[in-house]
Amino acid sequence: MTRRVLVLPGDHIGPEVVREARRVLEVVAAGFGLALELDEGLIGGAALEASGEPLPAETLASARHADAILLGAVGGPEWDQVERDLRPERGLLKIRSELGLFGNLRPAILYPQLAAASSLRPEVVAGLDILIVRELTGGIYFGEPRGIRTLENGEREGYNTYVYKESEIERIGRLAFESAAKRDGRLCSVDKSNVLEVTVLWREVMDRLAADYPDVELSHMYVDNAAMQLVRAPKQFDVVVTGNMFGDILSDAAAMLTGSIGMLPSASLDVASRGMYEPCHGSAPDISGQGLANPLATILSVAMMLRYSLDAPAAAAAVEAAVSRVLDDGLRTADICTSADQQVSTSAMGDAVVAALEAQMLEESA
Ligand code: NAD
């Protein structure tokens, strides 16, 4: 069966890292006999320049048609003054909500080869392997009403609405319990139920779901404590499930535990496991066009795509092994480079992963 993959490079370093990840996808697909049809589209600032919209109808139509989407990143200072609804980032929020991509899986794995690149002591982070499951299409980022209004006394007031329906909590909860059941069987639900009613309901639903997953041990933690524990003793966590905003913040903190945001892949899934795969980082305008971007987060997002949407776990493992092999060889982009390593450019890192993958597939077929 031919699977359709839509590639959306986006802005700044987006196209640089996606170019390398696309090559890896093509090589691994050829090696494992996967029939893929790759299409490319515009999103973000690039789409705004070309069509006046950050998510053109044509891109959305291709996305609805695809089994999986590979996205780079969107945004940049040149679009900071654009009207809010036309900002590149709106394109991203819209594609996530239009496709119903409610479940964001963000692994934070510290490759042993990179323990020195973490901002925490190696013994605190060595062997770290956390999965953060973030609700992506609800919560305060989407709640209505929202806006900035002028009060009777002339003062302006900004407001947003933090809402979750029971069904939305249940949907993300089940994804998290199922993910935990496939791992170490520990799930920590993060909320702020001492202050926010919406997360009192969140906690109640998680407790109710726990009865359906007897093999998973559920615990709860307030978000302020979770932020502290994540930098104090991160290895206590296996799977963390939380809402949109808390997940946004905690997953970036987890990113730094691994040394660089340039190493972190992500998957955003719908109810049928169709998904969008993208690095956790943004478009990094400060380093774009210089060959400095680390493509490994995007390449590891390809591995997640193979595992979650393309039913190709062996191909996924091959990509992950190739990344590990390249790190073993001491190759590093600037963001993860220490004095003992060999600093390489974005494309040289892509070349090295492709070469490691080809060598590995050749060994296996011999
Ligand atoms: P960012 O993630 O782009 O960059 C933060 C820092 O990390 C920068 O110093 C950058 O150089 C570095 N960095 C990021 N990715 C890297 C990589 N692959 N290799 C090496 N270093 C890397 O976040 P920001 O600076 O806050 O945002 C820049 C733009 O990206 C903004 O327009 C923002 O809205 C957008 N953004 C987009 C997404 C997305 O597309 N998913 C996510 C976050 C931010």
Side-chain angles (χ1 to χ4, degrees), residues 13 17 71-77 80 87 89 92 96 260-262 278-287 292-295 333 335:
I13 67 163
V17 292
L71 178 100
V74 299
D80 277 353
R87 299 272 302 257
E89 294 78 2
L92 200 55
R96 286 175 182 158
S260 170
I261 200 164
E278 55 181 310
C280 286
H281 59 74
S283 62
D286 56 331
I287 58 164
L292 288 173
N294 185 347
T333 44
D335 55 310

PDB file of all heavy atoms in Angstrom, residues 13 17 71-77 80 87 89 92 96 260-262 278-287 292-295 333 335, ligand 1:
ATOM      1  N   ILE A  13      15.333  27.894   9.478  1.00  0.00           N
ATOM      2  CA  ILE A  13      16.045  26.605   9.452  1.00  0.00           C
ATOM      3  C   ILE A  13      15.117  25.446   9.090  1.00  0.00           C
ATOM      4  O   ILE A  13      15.584  24.330   8.865  1.00  0.00           O
ATOM      5  CB  ILE A  13      16.794  26.286  10.777  1.00  0.00           C
ATOM      6  CG1 ILE A  13      15.819  26.047  11.932  1.00  0.00           C
ATOM      7  CG2 ILE A  13      17.825  27.338  11.114  1.00  0.00           C
ATOM      8  CD1 ILE A  13      16.475  25.340  13.131  1.00  0.00           C
ATOM      9  N   VAL A  17      16.649  21.791   7.870  1.00  0.00           N
ATOM     10  CA  VAL A  17      16.605  20.509   8.598  1.00  0.00           C
ATOM     11  C   VAL A  17      15.704  19.501   7.888  1.00  0.00           C
ATOM     12  O   VAL A  17      15.976  18.288   7.888  1.00  0.00           O
ATOM     13  CB  VAL A  17      16.186  20.708  10.079  1.00  0.00           C
ATOM     14  CG1 VAL A  17      17.268  21.438  10.846  1.00  0.00           C
ATOM     15  CG2 VAL A  17      14.846  21.427  10.229  1.00  0.00           C
ATOM     16  N   LEU A  71       6.997  18.291   9.125  1.00  0.00           N
ATOM     17  CA  LEU A  71       7.042  19.753   9.167  1.00  0.00           C
ATOM     18  C   LEU A  71       8.385  20.227   9.731  1.00  0.00           C
ATOM     19  O   LEU A  71       8.917  19.604  10.655  1.00  0.00           O
ATOM     20  CB  LEU A  71       5.904  20.256  10.067  1.00  0.00           C
ATOM     21  CG  LEU A  71       5.869  21.763  10.247  1.00  0.00           C
ATOM     22  CD1 LEU A  71       4.807  22.370   9.334  1.00  0.00           C
ATOM     23  CD2 LEU A  71       5.570  22.158  11.672  1.00  0.00           C
ATOM     24  N   GLY A  72       8.908  21.329   9.181  1.00  0.00           N
ATOM     25  CA  GLY A  72      10.133  21.927   9.725  1.00  0.00           C
ATOM     26  C   GLY A  72       9.771  22.843  10.881  1.00  0.00           C
ATOM     27  O   GLY A  72       9.510  22.394  11.991  1.00  0.00           O
ATOM     28  N   ALA A  73       9.703  24.131  10.631  1.00  0.00           N
ATOM     29  CA  ALA A  73       9.288  25.101  11.659  1.00  0.00           C
ATOM     30  C   ALA A  73       8.845  26.363  10.944  1.00  0.00           C
ATOM     31  O   ALA A  73       9.238  26.589   9.793  1.00  0.00           O
ATOM     32  CB  ALA A  73      10.458  25.404  12.588  1.00  0.00           C
ATOM     33  N   VAL A  74       8.045  27.157  11.618  1.00  0.00           N
ATOM     34  CA  VAL A  74       7.546  28.381  10.982  1.00  0.00           C
ATOM     35  C   VAL A  74       7.869  29.611  11.830  1.00  0.00           C
ATOM     36  O   VAL A  74       8.101  29.510  13.028  1.00  0.00           O
ATOM     37  CB  VAL A  74       6.006  28.322  10.759  1.00  0.00           C
ATOM     38  CG1 VAL A  74       5.633  27.167   9.861  1.00  0.00           C
ATOM     39  CG2 VAL A  74       5.269  28.260  12.087  1.00  0.00           C
ATOM     40  N   GLY A  75       7.850  30.761  11.167  1.00  0.00           N
ATOM     41  CA  GLY A  75       7.984  32.027  11.891  1.00  0.00           C
ATOM     42  C   GLY A  75       9.311  32.712  11.668  1.00  0.00           C
ATOM     43  O   GLY A  75      10.254  32.127  11.139  1.00  0.00           O
ATOM     44  N   GLY A  76       9.340  33.974  12.084  1.00  0.00           N
ATOM     45  CA  GLY A  76      10.558  34.763  11.962  1.00  0.00           C
ATOM     46  C   GLY A  76      10.240  36.216  12.220  1.00  0.00           C
ATOM     47  O   GLY A  76       9.078  36.630  12.127  1.00  0.00           O
ATOM     48  N   PRO A  77      11.273  37.006  12.558  1.00  0.00           N
ATOM     49  CA  PRO A  77      11.035  38.412  12.927  1.00  0.00           C
ATOM     50  C   PRO A  77      10.424  39.240  11.800  1.00  0.00           C
ATOM     51  O   PRO A  77       9.743  40.230  12.063  1.00  0.00           O
ATOM     52  CB  PRO A  77      12.435  38.926  13.278  1.00  0.00           C
ATOM     53  CG  PRO A  77      13.394  37.947  12.703  1.00  0.00           C
ATOM     54  CD  PRO A  77      12.696  36.643  12.631  1.00  0.00           C
ATOM     55  N   ASP A  80       6.774  39.630  12.388  1.00  0.00           N
ATOM     56  CA  ASP A  80       6.312  40.028  13.725  1.00  0.00           C
ATOM     57  C   ASP A  80       5.215  41.086  13.687  1.00  0.00           C
ATOM     58  O   ASP A  80       4.371  41.146  14.582  1.00  0.00           O
ATOM     59  CB  ASP A  80       7.488  40.563  14.566  1.00  0.00           C
ATOM     60  CG  ASP A  80       8.270  39.436  15.220  1.00  0.00           C
ATOM     61  OD1 ASP A  80       7.808  38.280  15.127  1.00  0.00           O
ATOM     62  OD2 ASP A  80       9.346  39.700  15.788  1.00  0.00           O
ATOM     63  N   ARG A  87      -0.284  35.615  11.199  1.00  0.00           N
ATOM     64  CA  ARG A  87       1.071  35.270  11.637  1.00  0.00           C
ATOM     65  C   ARG A  87       1.380  33.823  11.243  1.00  0.00           C
ATOM     66  O   ARG A  87       0.498  32.961  11.268  1.00  0.00           O
ATOM     67  CB  ARG A  87       1.198  35.393  13.168  1.00  0.00           C
ATOM     68  CG  ARG A  87       0.952  36.786  13.726  1.00  0.00           C
ATOM     69  CD  ARG A  87       2.196  37.626  13.763  1.00  0.00           C
ATOM     70  NE  ARG A  87       3.258  37.018  14.550  1.00  0.00           N
ATOM     71  CZ  ARG A  87       3.582  37.400  15.779  1.00  0.00           C
ATOM     72  NH1 ARG A  87       2.907  38.358  16.378  1.00  0.00           N
ATOM     73  NH2 ARG A  87       4.581  36.834  16.406  1.00  0.00           N
ATOM     74  N   GLU A  89       2.732  31.446  12.817  1.00  0.00           N
ATOM     75  CA  GLU A  89       2.406  30.472  13.861  1.00  0.00           C
ATOM     76  C   GLU A  89       0.921  30.108  13.851  1.00  0.00           C
ATOM     77  O   GLU A  89       0.527  29.032  14.293  1.00  0.00           O
ATOM     78  CB  GLU A  89       2.794  31.016  15.245  1.00  0.00           C
ATOM     79  CG  GLU A  89       4.297  31.210  15.458  1.00  0.00           C
ATOM     80  CD  GLU A  89       4.879  32.468  14.806  1.00  0.00           C
ATOM     81  OE1 GLU A  89       4.117  33.252  14.196  1.00  0.00           O
ATOM     82  OE2 GLU A  89       6.104  32.656  14.909  1.00  0.00           O
ATOM     83  N   LEU A  92       0.265  27.077  11.891  1.00  0.00           N
ATOM     84  CA  LEU A  92       0.573  25.841  12.603  1.00  0.00           C
ATOM     85  C   LEU A  92      -0.568  25.445  13.549  1.00  0.00           C
ATOM     86  O   LEU A  92      -0.996  24.285  13.589  1.00  0.00           O
ATOM     87  CB  LEU A  92       1.855  26.085  13.410  1.00  0.00           C
ATOM     88  CG  LEU A  92       2.633  24.895  13.865  1.00  0.00           C
ATOM     89  CD1 LEU A  92       2.974  24.006  12.705  1.00  0.00           C
ATOM     90  CD2 LEU A  92       3.927  25.383  14.536  1.00  0.00           C
ATOM     91  N   ARG A  96      -3.023  22.029  13.082  1.00  0.00           N
ATOM     92  CA  ARG A  96      -3.190  21.076  14.191  1.00  0.00           C
ATOM     93  C   ARG A  96      -4.661  20.901  14.535  1.00  0.00           C
ATOM     94  O   ARG A  96      -5.136  19.783  14.722  1.00  0.00           O
ATOM     95  CB  ARG A  96      -2.445  21.565  15.431  1.00  0.00           C
ATOM     96  CG  ARG A  96      -0.948  21.432  15.357  1.00  0.00           C
ATOM     97  CD  ARG A  96      -0.315  22.065  16.583  1.00  0.00           C
ATOM     98  NE  ARG A  96       1.135  22.003  16.543  1.00  0.00           N
ATOM     99  CZ  ARG A  96       1.922  22.816  17.243  1.00  0.00           C
ATOM    100  NH1 ARG A  96       1.408  23.749  18.017  1.00  0.00           N
ATOM    101  NH2 ARG A  96       3.224  22.682  17.174  1.00  0.00           N
ATOM    102  N   SER A 260      20.157  19.777  24.058  1.00  0.00           N
ATOM    103  CA  SER A 260      19.770  20.766  23.060  1.00  0.00           C
ATOM    104  C   SER A 260      18.381  20.498  22.549  1.00  0.00           C
ATOM    105  O   SER A 260      17.984  19.352  22.342  1.00  0.00           O
ATOM    106  CB  SER A 260      20.718  20.726  21.867  1.00  0.00           C
ATOM    107  OG  SER A 260      20.193  21.525  20.821  1.00  0.00           O
ATOM    108  N   ILE A 261      17.659  21.579  22.303  1.00  0.00           N
ATOM    109  CA  ILE A 261      16.356  21.464  21.688  1.00  0.00           C
ATOM    110  C   ILE A 261      16.498  20.909  20.261  1.00  0.00           C
ATOM    111  O   ILE A 261      15.546  20.385  19.693  1.00  0.00           O
ATOM    112  CB  ILE A 261      15.634  22.832  21.736  1.00  0.00           C
ATOM    113  CG1 ILE A 261      14.140  22.672  21.566  1.00  0.00           C
ATOM    114  CG2 ILE A 261      16.234  23.820  20.756  1.00  0.00           C
ATOM    115  CD1 ILE A 261      13.329  23.869  21.958  1.00  0.00           C
ATOM    116  N   GLY A 262      17.705  20.961  19.744  1.00  0.00           N
ATOM    117  CA  GLY A 262      17.983  20.428  18.405  1.00  0.00           C
ATOM    118  C   GLY A 262      17.963  18.916  18.327  1.00  0.00           C
ATOM    119  O   GLY A 262      18.130  18.335  17.253  1.00  0.00           O
ATOM    120  N   GLU A 278       7.350  16.732  13.739  1.00  0.00           N
ATOM    121  CA  GLU A 278       8.152  17.956  13.641  1.00  0.00           C
ATOM    122  C   GLU A 278       9.125  18.032  14.807  1.00  0.00           C
ATOM    123  O   GLU A 278       8.878  17.466  15.878  1.00  0.00           O
ATOM    124  CB  GLU A 278       7.230  19.182  13.657  1.00  0.00           C
ATOM    125  CG  GLU A 278       6.316  19.212  14.848  1.00  0.00           C
ATOM    126  CD  GLU A 278       5.366  20.416  14.866  1.00  0.00           C
ATOM    127  OE1 GLU A 278       5.855  21.549  14.692  1.00  0.00           O
ATOM    128  OE2 GLU A 278       4.163  20.224  15.095  1.00  0.00           O
ATOM    129  N   PRO A 279      10.237  18.745  14.599  1.00  0.00           N
ATOM    130  CA  PRO A 279      11.131  18.962  15.733  1.00  0.00           C
ATOM    131  C   PRO A 279      10.429  19.858  16.750  1.00  0.00           C
ATOM    132  O   PRO A 279       9.524  20.608  16.393  1.00  0.00           O
ATOM    133  CB  PRO A 279      12.322  19.687  15.099  1.00  0.00           C
ATOM    134  CG  PRO A 279      11.758  20.357  13.881  1.00  0.00           C
ATOM    135  CD  PRO A 279      10.682  19.446  13.384  1.00  0.00           C
ATOM    136  N   CYS A 280      10.873  19.789  18.026  1.00  0.00           N
ATOM    137  CA  CYS A 280      10.250  20.643  19.054  1.00  0.00           C
ATOM    138  C   CYS A 280      10.693  22.097  18.941  1.00  0.00           C
ATOM    139  O   CYS A 280      10.057  22.981  19.499  1.00  0.00           O
ATOM    140  CB  CYS A 280      10.610  20.135  20.452  1.00  0.00           C
ATOM    141  SG  CYS A 280       9.722  18.649  20.870  1.00  0.00           S
ATOM    142  N   HIS A 281      11.797  22.323  18.222  1.00  0.00           N
ATOM    143  CA  HIS A 281      12.307  23.689  18.165  1.00  0.00           C
ATOM    144  C   HIS A 281      11.556  24.537  17.139  1.00  0.00           C
ATOM    145  O   HIS A 281      10.769  24.029  16.336  1.00  0.00           O
ATOM    146  CB  HIS A 281      13.807  23.688  17.856  1.00  0.00           C
ATOM    147  CG  HIS A 281      14.174  23.027  16.562  1.00  0.00           C
ATOM    148  ND1 HIS A 281      13.941  23.591  15.335  1.00  0.00           N
ATOM    149  CD2 HIS A 281      14.783  21.834  16.307  1.00  0.00           C
ATOM    150  CE1 HIS A 281      14.393  22.790  14.384  1.00  0.00           C
ATOM    151  NE2 HIS A 281      14.897  21.708  14.949  1.00  0.00           N
ATOM    152  N   GLY A 282      11.830  25.847  17.198  1.00  0.00           N
ATOM    153  CA  GLY A 282      11.235  26.769  16.240  1.00  0.00           C
ATOM    154  C   GLY A 282      12.143  26.962  15.030  1.00  0.00           C
ATOM    155  O   GLY A 282      13.003  26.119  14.748  1.00  0.00           O
ATOM    156  N   SER A 283      11.956  28.089  14.350  1.00  0.00           N
ATOM    157  CA  SER A 283      12.646  28.301  13.072  1.00  0.00           C
ATOM    158  C   SER A 283      14.039  28.909  13.242  1.00  0.00           C
ATOM    159  O   SER A 283      14.732  29.146  12.254  1.00  0.00           O
ATOM    160  CB  SER A 283      11.790  29.199  12.186  1.00  0.00           C
ATOM    161  OG  SER A 283      11.636  30.456  12.820  1.00  0.00           O
ATOM    162  N   ALA A 284      14.427  29.183  14.483  1.00  0.00           N
ATOM    163  CA  ALA A 284      15.784  29.669  14.812  1.00  0.00           C
ATOM    164  C   ALA A 284      16.346  30.676  13.807  1.00  0.00           C
ATOM    165  O   ALA A 284      17.390  30.437  13.205  1.00  0.00           O
ATOM    166  CB  ALA A 284      16.736  28.478  14.980  1.00  0.00           C
ATOM    167  N   PRO A 285      15.701  31.825  13.648  1.00  0.00           N
ATOM    168  CA  PRO A 285      16.200  32.809  12.671  1.00  0.00           C
ATOM    169  C   PRO A 285      17.629  33.247  12.969  1.00  0.00           C
ATOM    170  O   PRO A 285      18.360  33.626  12.047  1.00  0.00           O
ATOM    171  CB  PRO A 285      15.242  34.001  12.834  1.00  0.00           C
ATOM    172  CG  PRO A 285      14.064  33.486  13.570  1.00  0.00           C
ATOM    173  CD  PRO A 285      14.498  32.292  14.354  1.00  0.00           C
ATOM    174  N   ASP A 286      18.019  33.166  14.264  1.00  0.00           N
ATOM    175  CA  ASP A 286      19.384  33.615  14.633  1.00  0.00           C
ATOM    176  C   ASP A 286      20.481  32.788  13.981  1.00  0.00           C
ATOM    177  O   ASP A 286      21.617  33.253  13.869  1.00  0.00           O
ATOM    178  CB  ASP A 286      19.542  33.634  16.171  1.00  0.00           C
ATOM    179  CG  ASP A 286      19.226  32.300  16.837  1.00  0.00           C
ATOM    180  OD1 ASP A 286      18.400  31.524  16.293  1.00  0.00           O
ATOM    181  OD2 ASP A 286      19.798  32.013  17.902  1.00  0.00           O
ATOM    182  N   ILE A 287      20.184  31.568  13.571  1.00  0.00           N
ATOM    183  CA  ILE A 287      21.248  30.737  12.973  1.00  0.00           C
ATOM    184  C   ILE A 287      20.901  30.294  11.544  1.00  0.00           C
ATOM    185  O   ILE A 287      21.625  29.480  10.966  1.00  0.00           O
ATOM    186  CB  ILE A 287      21.554  29.490  13.841  1.00  0.00           C
ATOM    187  CG1 ILE A 287      20.292  28.634  14.048  1.00  0.00           C
ATOM    188  CG2 ILE A 287      22.172  29.868  15.174  1.00  0.00           C
ATOM    189  CD1 ILE A 287      20.605  27.220  14.553  1.00  0.00           C
ATOM    190  N   LEU A 292      24.284  25.851  10.579  1.00  0.00           N
ATOM    191  CA  LEU A 292      24.525  25.581  12.003  1.00  0.00           C
ATOM    192  C   LEU A 292      23.421  24.729  12.634  1.00  0.00           C
ATOM    193  O   LEU A 292      23.577  24.203  13.731  1.00  0.00           O
ATOM    194  CB  LEU A 292      24.607  26.904  12.782  1.00  0.00           C
ATOM    195  CG  LEU A 292      25.860  27.741  12.566  1.00  0.00           C
ATOM    196  CD1 LEU A 292      25.728  29.095  13.266  1.00  0.00           C
ATOM    197  CD2 LEU A 292      27.100  26.999  13.080  1.00  0.00           C
ATOM    198  N   ALA A 293      22.284  24.623  11.964  1.00  0.00           N
ATOM    199  CA  ALA A 293      21.129  23.947  12.582  1.00  0.00           C
ATOM    200  C   ALA A 293      21.373  22.454  12.727  1.00  0.00           C
ATOM    201  O   ALA A 293      21.927  21.805  11.837  1.00  0.00           O
ATOM    202  CB  ALA A 293      19.891  24.184  11.723  1.00  0.00           C
ATOM    203  N   ASN A 294      20.940  21.931  13.842  1.00  0.00           N
ATOM    204  CA  ASN A 294      21.027  20.493  14.102  1.00  0.00           C
ATOM    205  C   ASN A 294      19.811  19.810  13.442  1.00  0.00           C
ATOM    206  O   ASN A 294      18.676  20.090  13.833  1.00  0.00           O
ATOM    207  CB  ASN A 294      21.012  20.281  15.621  1.00  0.00           C
ATOM    208  CG  ASN A 294      21.212  18.830  16.000  1.00  0.00           C
ATOM    209  OD1 ASN A 294      21.134  17.944  15.161  1.00  0.00           O
ATOM    210  ND2 ASN A 294      21.463  18.589  17.286  1.00  0.00           N
ATOM    211  N   PRO A 295      20.035  18.922  12.493  1.00  0.00           N
ATOM    212  CA  PRO A 295      18.889  18.280  11.829  1.00  0.00           C
ATOM    213  C   PRO A 295      18.385  17.031  12.555  1.00  0.00           C
ATOM    214  O   PRO A 295      17.425  16.400  12.108  1.00  0.00           O
ATOM    215  CB  PRO A 295      19.466  17.895  10.457  1.00  0.00           C
ATOM    216  CG  PRO A 295      20.905  17.583  10.756  1.00  0.00           C
ATOM    217  CD  PRO A 295      21.320  18.493  11.895  1.00  0.00           C
ATOM    218  N   THR A 333      26.763  18.886  15.631  1.00  0.00           N
ATOM    219  CA  THR A 333      26.508  20.252  15.170  1.00  0.00           C
ATOM    220  C   THR A 333      26.849  21.192  16.333  1.00  0.00           C
ATOM    221  O   THR A 333      27.019  20.740  17.478  1.00  0.00           O
ATOM    222  CB  THR A 333      25.032  20.419  14.751  1.00  0.00           C
ATOM    223  OG1 THR A 333      24.217  19.788  15.732  1.00  0.00           O
ATOM    224  CG2 THR A 333      24.773  19.826  13.372  1.00  0.00           C
ATOM    225  N   ASP A 335      25.405  23.195  18.356  1.00  0.00           N
ATOM    226  CA  ASP A 335      24.611  23.255  19.583  1.00  0.00           C
ATOM    227  C   ASP A 335      24.958  22.160  20.585  1.00  0.00           C
ATOM    228  O   ASP A 335      24.675  22.305  21.777  1.00  0.00           O
ATOM    229  CB  ASP A 335      23.114  23.194  19.233  1.00  0.00           C
ATOM    230  CG  ASP A 335      22.773  21.974  18.404  1.00  0.00           C
ATOM    231  OD1 ASP A 335      23.467  21.741  17.394  1.00  0.00           O
ATOM    232  OD2 ASP A 335      21.846  21.244  18.762  1.00  0.00           O
TER     233      ASP A 335
HETATM  234  P1  NAD B   1      13.670  28.544  18.533  1.00  0.00           P
HETATM  235  O1  NAD B   1      13.397  27.151  18.954  1.00  0.00           O
HETATM  236  O2  NAD B   1      13.553  28.833  17.091  1.00  0.00           O
HETATM  237  O3  NAD B   1      15.166  28.935  18.992  1.00  0.00           O
HETATM  238  C1  NAD B   1      15.571  28.955  20.376  1.00  0.00           C
HETATM  239  C2  NAD B   1      17.089  28.791  20.445  1.00  0.00           C
HETATM  240  O4  NAD B   1      17.443  27.454  20.107  1.00  0.00           O
HETATM  241  C3  NAD B   1      17.842  29.683  19.456  1.00  0.00           C
HETATM  242  O5  NAD B   1      19.024  30.115  20.041  1.00  0.00           O
HETATM  243  C4  NAD B   1      18.151  28.764  18.293  1.00  0.00           C
HETATM  244  O6  NAD B   1      19.292  29.114  17.570  1.00  0.00           O
HETATM  245  C5  NAD B   1      18.304  27.420  18.990  1.00  0.00           C
HETATM  246  N1  NAD B   1      17.882  26.306  18.117  1.00  0.00           N
HETATM  247  C6  NAD B   1      16.606  26.001  17.777  1.00  0.00           C
HETATM  248  N2  NAD B   1      16.594  24.946  16.941  1.00  0.00           N
HETATM  249  C7  NAD B   1      17.882  24.592  16.760  1.00  0.00           C
HETATM  250  C8  NAD B   1      18.524  23.571  15.989  1.00  0.00           C
HETATM  251  N3  NAD B   1      17.831  22.686  15.239  1.00  0.00           N
HETATM  252  N4  NAD B   1      19.876  23.496  16.009  1.00  0.00           N
HETATM  253  C9  NAD B   1      20.591  24.339  16.773  1.00  0.00           C
HETATM  254  N5  NAD B   1      20.047  25.322  17.520  1.00  0.00           N
HETATM  255  C10 NAD B   1      18.702  25.452  17.513  1.00  0.00           C
HETATM  256  O7  NAD B   1      12.716  29.494  19.379  1.00  0.00           O
HETATM  257  P2  NAD B   1      12.500  31.090  19.300  1.00  0.00           P
HETATM  258  O8  NAD B   1      13.809  31.753  19.027  1.00  0.00           O
HETATM  259  O9  NAD B   1      11.729  31.422  20.489  1.00  0.00           O
HETATM  260  O10 NAD B   1      11.556  31.303  18.038  1.00  0.00           O
HETATM  261  C11 NAD B   1      12.013  31.648  16.729  1.00  0.00           C
HETATM  262  C12 NAD B   1      10.823  31.621  15.779  1.00  0.00           C
HETATM  263  O11 NAD B   1      10.297  30.295  15.697  1.00  0.00           O
HETATM  264  C13 NAD B   1       9.661  32.501  16.236  1.00  0.00           C
HETATM  265  O12 NAD B   1       9.098  33.112  15.094  1.00  0.00           O
HETATM  266  C14 NAD B   1       8.700  31.525  16.872  1.00  0.00           C
HETATM  267  O13 NAD B   1       7.375  31.963  16.837  1.00  0.00           O
HETATM  268  C15 NAD B   1       8.906  30.318  15.990  1.00  0.00           C
HETATM  269  N6  NAD B   1       8.555  29.042  16.613  1.00  0.00           N
HETATM  270  C16 NAD B   1       8.046  28.095  15.797  1.00  0.00           C
HETATM  271  C17 NAD B   1       7.776  26.837  16.295  1.00  0.00           C
HETATM  272  C18 NAD B   1       7.278  25.804  15.336  1.00  0.00           C
HETATM  273  O14 NAD B   1       7.292  26.025  14.142  1.00  0.00           O
HETATM  274  N7  NAD B   1       6.856  24.651  15.827  1.00  0.00           N
HETATM  275  C19 NAD B   1       8.026  26.535  17.632  1.00  0.00           C
HETATM  276  C20 NAD B   1       8.595  27.522  18.450  1.00  0.00           C
HETATM  277  C21 NAD B   1       8.865  28.780  17.923  1.00  0.00           C
END
